[in-house]
């Protein structure tokens, strides 16, 4: 069964940067779309970013647009989330997710997923 193995995260001051990575143990239809969700304490889960393996398209959530960048190395089956200009409200647990391209677009990964990896904590202090 496909697994998503994430790494990265940590603590940083506001304005700083962090990088997350996530590697799929194999390529399948369910790893065509790969990206991240996050959840702050007491808040609902939020789609952060997604990358379409087959089309090379990227999708970024409105709350992080202009600050977060997602990239992908298809050979390594790995996606990367570069998080710049971090703010305290970016604090939360982040987890890698993947799924098929429902509706023909990986944009829908920002709404839901069927595969997910372990959580990693991101803490941004003011």
């Amino acid at each position: 069964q496909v697994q998503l193995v994430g790494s990265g995260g940590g603590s940083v001051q506001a304005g700083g940067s962090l990088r997350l990575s996530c590697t799929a143990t194999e390529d399948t239809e369910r790893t065509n779309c790969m990206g991240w969700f996050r959840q702050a304490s007491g808040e609902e889960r939020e789609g952060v970013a997604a990358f379409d393996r087959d089309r090379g398209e990227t999708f970024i959530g409105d709350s992080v647009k202009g600050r977060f960048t997602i990239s992908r190395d298809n050979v390594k089956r790995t996606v990367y989330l570069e998080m710049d200009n971090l703010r305290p409200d970016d604090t939360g647990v982040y987890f890698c997710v993947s799924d098929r391209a429902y509706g023909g677009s990986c944009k829908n990964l920002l709404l839901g997923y069927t595969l997910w990896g372990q959580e990693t904590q991101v803490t941004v202090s003011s």
Side-chain angles (χ1 to χ4, degrees):
Q1 183 172 346
V2 178
Q3 292 184 330
L4 303 177
V5 182
S7 64
S11 298
V12 67
Q13 289 190 324
S17 299
L18 287 172
R19 189 193 201 201
L20 305 180
S21 65
C22 175
T23 299
T25 55
E26 60 182 284
D27 273 331
T28 72
E29 187 181 15
R30 293 179 72 189
T31 60
N32 179 29
C33 308
M34 288 181 66
W36 277 269
F37 260 68
R38 69 183 183 182
Q39 187 169 22
S41 179
E43 301 290 332
E44 293 189 357
R45 294 180 180 182
E46 175 189 15
V48 176
F51 199 111
D52 186 324
R53 178 190 63 207
D54 292 348
R55 298 185 180 188
E57 293 179 330
T58 61
F59 303 93
I60 304 294
D62 290 340
S63 64
V64 302
K65 200 164 290 185
R67 300 185 298 117
F68 289 15
T69 304
I70 187 170
S71 59
R72 185 165 184 162
D73 184 330
N74 289 335
V75 174
K76 295 181 179 179
R77 300 187 304 276
T78 300
V79 289
Y80 305 94
L81 185 67
E82 185 70 36
M83 304 182 290
D84 297 319
N85 193 20
L86 283 160
R87 308 184 308 214
D89 61 358
D90 293 317
T91 296
V93 292
Y94 287 65
F95 49 102
C96 180
V97 298
S98 76
D99 212 331
R100 298 177 176 88
Y102 289 105
S105 174
C106 288
K107 184 177 182 179
N108 292 319
L109 188 68
L110 299 183
L111 299 177
Y113 49 87
T114 57
L115 283 177
W116 63 94
Q118 71 266 32
E119 300 174 347
T120 186
Q121 178 69 38
V122 171
T123 302
V124 185
S125 58
S126 57

